[in-house]
Amino acid sequence: MTALAFPVAGLLALTAGGHLLLPFDGVITLEGKIASKSEFFEDEKVQRILMKHGIRVHITRMGSRDIATTGFDGYDFAFPSGQPAADMIKNDRKSKDAYAKGHSAFVSPIVLATYREYAETLRDNGLARPRQGVGADENSPLYYTLNMKRFIELSAGGKKWSDIGIEKHRTTNGNRILAQTSNICEANHAGTYLGLVAFVENRNTVPTDNAAADRVARMIKPTLVSQGLPSEEMFKTYEVPEGKGLAPIVVVYEHQYFAYQIRHRQRTGKPDSQRVLLYPSTQFLTEPEYIALTPKGDRLGELLASDEQLQRRAMELGFRVLDTSGKATSTELYRFLEDQGIPAPASTAEDTKATLPSLPLLERMITSVGDCPPPKQTPETSS
């Protein structure tokens, strides 16, 4: 028998058994603070899956650092984009004996999104090399490995695109070579990129005390601050035609690029061959952690970590889903991309794995480099 659904007050859903689930009839609304992973909860398929479980989510979008440093009254969960902000939240909740329970479901590496002319110019200068995978077009690779040390040296030295031959690829740009981020005081990806640059500039070593953190922060500040830190939504800038002139290289998450290519393939029948990814030769895998702030919020956390439909949808949105052992795997994601007609990048064991400084030292460096206000103490939340 086919179950029929009729709109009631603009919101309804069908349970797995075909029963009509009406508003306020077994449905709970969870309030959450979310950073860059908000698009997951805004996805219609995710919303339908959650409604089958009687859950509706209302989100407040803000940067990861803001999530961690503002109050939690009235919220059921927090979902910053990386571990540093998650650790800040958990440490604060623990100090106040407040409810907090973490769940991990998927991850996404930090990458640099750019355009073919810029990637090929870097390749001409020995800074980038194709990272070919299954189904790749040898003449138009979508993925490159970027030599981070040499890239940072170019940027720190004030080199401009016109200095390294961008005109050869029918593009003119006299601006300085930079990878642009969102506000370093607010966004996890910006703070993570700072940590990655610091690691490379400190000879692949993590600063371990205040003196070392201050020294490295002074070293990298001119390069990072001169970006201007203009936009809170870097990927949307990258997608539009004007993006090439505004920010030719932007720091984003891998899943954002994959999701874009999937949408482009569905819309046009082929991937966008002009927008490409640079994988830093020194990599850091961001680990967003969902933190339940109430028992109701924990119900959603359990679903994110265990529900097969939600995990499948996360992969379809470009995330690397954790396997049963809790480790991130790219195998299923790459297979899915290939099924969608999107070449997948080649896996490599050659890249250096970057490590972030301890949370207090990272916060110290972010505050110094970005001239940020110090983190606020979050008020205790009753639960």
Side-chain angles (χ1 to χ4, degrees):
M1 179 182 294
T2 302
L4 299 177
F6 301 93
V8 179
L11 179 65
L12 53 78
L14 290 176
T15 66
H19 301 295
L20 189 63
L21 191 62
L22 298 176
F24 313 113
D25 181 15
V27 178
I28 61 171
T29 298
L30 301 179
E31 296 287 340
K33 295 199 290 185
I34 306 180
S36 63
K37 307 305 179 281
S38 58
E39 70 266 25
F40 177 78
F41 291 98
E42 292 168 348
D43 178 73
E44 291 184 0
K45 290 185 179 179
V46 170
Q47 292 173 357
R48 287 199 294 269
I49 295 169
L50 291 178
M51 282 298 292
K52 290 180 181 179
H53 295 279
I55 293 176
R56 177 172 51 192
V57 174
H58 180 262
I59 62 175
T60 300
R61 298 182 64 173
M62 59 180 69
S64 289
R65 197 166 184 263
D66 278 349
I67 289 176
T69 59
T70 55
F72 297 109
D73 285 329
Y75 289 100
D76 297 293
F77 68 90
F79 203 170
S81 293
Q83 203 60 49
D87 288 342
M88 288 178 68
I89 295 169
K90 290 187 292 186
N91 291 343
D92 179 77
R93 303 287 286 180
K94 183 177 180 180
S95 71
K96 297 170 180 175
D97 197 27
Y99 190 98
K101 187 175 179 181
H103 298 274
S104 297
F106 42 71
V107 299
S108 189
I110 287 286
V111 291
L112 279 65
T114 188
Y115 306 86
R116 181 162 306 284
E117 302 95 316
Y118 291 89
E120 288 297 324
T121 299
L122 293 171
R123 183 183 182 183
D124 293 342
N125 287 269
L127 275 75
R129 66 179 189 276
R131 188 173 182 143
Q132 299 289 67
V134 177
D137 181 347
E138 293 184 2
N139 297 317
S140 301
L142 290 182
Y143 313 104
Y144 299 76
T145 296
L146 176 68
N147 185 315
M148 277 302 294
K149 182 172 178 55
R150 292 194 58 195
F151 179 75
I152 294 169
E153 288 173 352
L154 270 186
S155 181
K159 290 288 187 179
K160 301 176 181 178
W161 288 106
S162 55
D163 295 331
I164 65 170
I166 188 70
E167 291 83 1
K168 177 182 175 182
H169 298 280
R170 299 180 180 180
T171 298
T172 57
N173 190 333
N175 293 327
R176 186 176 171 185
I177 299 169
L178 292 168
Q180 297 201 22
T181 72
S182 298
N183 192 326
I184 206 166
C185 300
E186 299 174 358
N188 175 77
H189 80 266
T192 300
Y193 185 68
L194 177 152
L196 189 154
V197 171
F199 182 84
V200 173
E201 285 292 85
N202 201 40
R203 300 180 180 180
N204 290 354
T205 303
V206 179
T208 56
D209 55 40
N210 288 345
D214 292 343
R215 174 180 56 80
V216 176
R218 288 193 298 270
M219 184 190 311
I220 66 177
K221 182 172 183 174
T223 300
L224 295 173
V225 170
S226 60
Q227 298 173 59
L229 311 173
S231 173
E232 295 182 0
E233 298 186 357
M234 295 302 299
F235 200 84
K236 289 184 178 180
T237 301
Y238 174 68
E239 287 184 278
V240 299
E242 298 81 8
K244 188 184 298 185
L246 295 172
I249 299 182
V250 293
V251 180
V252 299
Y253 293 105
E254 180 190 61
H255 77 273
Q256 294 174 300
Y257 178 82
F258 287 157
Y260 166 78
Q261 286 289 13
I262 291 168
R263 293 194 303 270
H264 191 277
R265 172 74 167 75
Q266 292 171 342
R267 187 173 66 251
T268 67
K270 59 184 179 180
D272 183 347
S273 63
Q274 297 307 303
R275 286 175 172 79
V276 301
L277 275 194
L278 302 171
Y279 282 88
S281 56
T282 303
Q283 288 194 1
F284 182 82
L285 192 66
T286 60
E287 300 177 353
E289 185 175 5
Y290 174 99
I291 302 172
L293 305 174
T294 66
K296 287 195 306 181
D298 187 50
R299 179 179 167 190
L300 175 56
E302 293 283 356
L303 285 174
L304 292 175
S306 62
D307 185 84
E308 292 183 0
Q309 286 185 306
L310 287 174
Q311 291 180 333
R312 170 72 183 183
R313 186 55 184 161
M315 184 184 67
E316 293 172 351
L317 293 173
F319 291 99
R320 302 186 187 194
V321 178
L322 302 184
D323 61 19
T324 54
S325 67
K327 294 182 179 179
T329 175
S330 58
T331 303
E332 290 297 322
L333 172 60
Y334 288 0
R335 185 179 298 123
F336 171 75
L337 290 174
E338 292 160 15
D339 290 343
Q340 297 298 308
I342 310 294
S347 299
T348 176
E350 300 175 2
D351 297 336
T352 302
K353 303 302 180 185
T355 304
L356 286 179
S358 66
L359 181 58
L361 292 181
L362 180 61
E363 277 298 309
R364 186 182 183 94
M365 295 173 70
I366 289 174
T367 300
S368 173
V369 171
D371 293 323
C372 312
K376 305 170 187 174
Q377 293 297 316
T378 59
E380 185 173 353
T381 302
S382 58
S383 57

